[in-house]
Amino acid sequence: MTWFNEWAADFAETFTRCFLKENRYKLLLEGIGVTIKVSLLAVIIGIMIGLLIALCNLSKKKLLRFIGGLYTDVIRGTPSVTQLMIIYFVVFATVNLDKWIIAAIAFGINSGAYVSEIIRAGILSIDKGQTEAGRSLGLNGYQTMTRIIIPQAIKNIFPALCNEFIVLIKETAIVGYVGLMDIQKAGDFIKSATFEAFMPLIGTAVIYYVLIKILTLILSRVELRLRKSEMR
């Protein structure tokens, strides 16, 4: 067992040097906070934009369909890192906003294109008879959509929205391009300071995994409650 003792001692020494020495673990804690803030705000913006674009794509007006289609096509056809840098260094170059807010806006705009397709598919999955029933009750198009169609569609699109949120968290690993200290950037900083690659990279991977696992469990519980309410 000598080899194991040597490996354990080396592992402990590397762990201490990477995370405990000079309190480098605080960089990772700061990175977790940044990642969570950016992701939460981005998903809110993404859902708002996604709903708006989905309604544009479902509209009978050609102009609205053109706008919705153009937005979806452009956003889905360009890399998210390029969009982030355009929004940060061009669009908001002269605007006094916190970096994490600008990053959240960029990711929200990116996510909105994918969320719009999720919402559009969810709305189309609702039987047309539901719309006819709403109109027969005297509801206008807006009331029918917000009171009858969308509440039913939410249950269908919730799993896909959860998946989009999970993907969004992992995509935020590129915010280091605009100087934000997220989880990945913190790991890169530790790697540069200690000249150790394995421990910081594994550490960031574990943190991302734990965050996403916790989120998955929470969202699964919410989805289960939605399904139970549907069966009543």
Side-chain angles (χ1 to χ4, degrees):
M1 298 295 288
T2 303
W3 65 269
F4 179 79
N5 293 334
E6 291 177 354
W7 176 85
D10 183 63
F11 182 90
E13 190 276 330
T14 304
F15 183 90
T16 301
R17 184 151 51 91
C18 288
F19 302 126
L20 301 182
K21 189 176 180 181
E22 298 180 6
N23 294 325
R24 292 193 179 103
Y25 71 91
K26 291 183 178 180
L27 294 173
L28 292 171
L29 294 178
E30 178 185 345
I32 292 171
V34 170
T35 297
I36 292 174
K37 287 193 301 183
V38 171
S39 300
L40 285 176
L41 182 56
V43 81
I44 293 171
I45 295 172
I47 290 173
M48 293 171 61
I49 293 176
L51 178 59
L52 181 62
I53 296 301
L55 294 177
C56 287
N57 289 331
L58 292 170
S59 174
K60 295 180 180 179
K61 296 182 179 179
K62 291 183 178 180
L63 178 60
L64 292 179
R65 289 203 308 272
F66 172 77
I67 293 172
L70 179 64
Y71 171 86
T72 304
D73 187 52
V74 170
I75 296 299
R76 292 171 66 182
T78 54
S80 55
V81 65
T82 304
Q83 297 167 17
L84 173 64
M85 289 193 286
I86 289 173
I87 290 172
Y88 184 83
F89 292 110
V90 179
V91 177
F92 287 95
T94 58
V95 179
N96 186 22
L97 272 179
D98 290 341
K99 290 182 178 181
W100 75 270
I101 296 178
I102 298 175
I105 292 172
F107 285 112
I109 292 173
N110 177 271
S111 180
Y114 299 93
V115 171
S116 68
E117 290 300 290
I118 294 172
I119 294 176
R120 185 179 68 86
I123 291 175
L124 290 176
S125 69
I126 304 301
D127 189 89
K128 290 183 179 179
Q130 298 291 323
T131 301
E132 296 171 357
R135 301 308 293 269
S136 67
L137 291 172
L139 301 177
N140 58 34
Y142 173 79
Q143 291 171 328
T144 301
M145 181 63 69
T146 56
R147 297 182 185 181
I148 297 177
I149 305 301
I150 291 180
Q152 293 183 70
I154 286 175
K155 295 178 182 180
N156 295 335
I157 67 179
F158 186 77
L161 282 178
C162 294
N163 185 64
E164 173 61 23
F165 190 18
I166 290 170
V167 170
L168 186 61
I169 290 177
K170 292 185 286 186
E171 283 189 349
T172 60
I174 63 174
V175 295
Y177 280 96
V178 295
L180 270 176
M181 183 64 75
D182 71 319
I183 298 171
Q184 185 62 54
K185 189 69 174 179
D188 291 342
F189 183 87
I190 294 172
K191 181 161 62 73
S192 300
T194 60
F195 300 102
E196 290 283 349
F198 174 80
M199 191 66 71
L201 290 175
I202 292 299
T204 55
V206 169
I207 291 172
Y208 275 115
Y209 176 80
V210 171
L211 281 178
I212 291 171
K213 191 65 177 178
I214 292 172
L215 177 64
T216 302
L217 292 173
I218 293 172
L219 294 177
S220 297
R221 294 290 296 274
V222 175
E223 182 182 358
L224 183 61
R225 286 181 176 273
L226 286 175
R227 294 302 176 192
K228 284 184 177 179
S229 66
E230 183 179 332
M231 292 184 291
R232 290 174 183 173

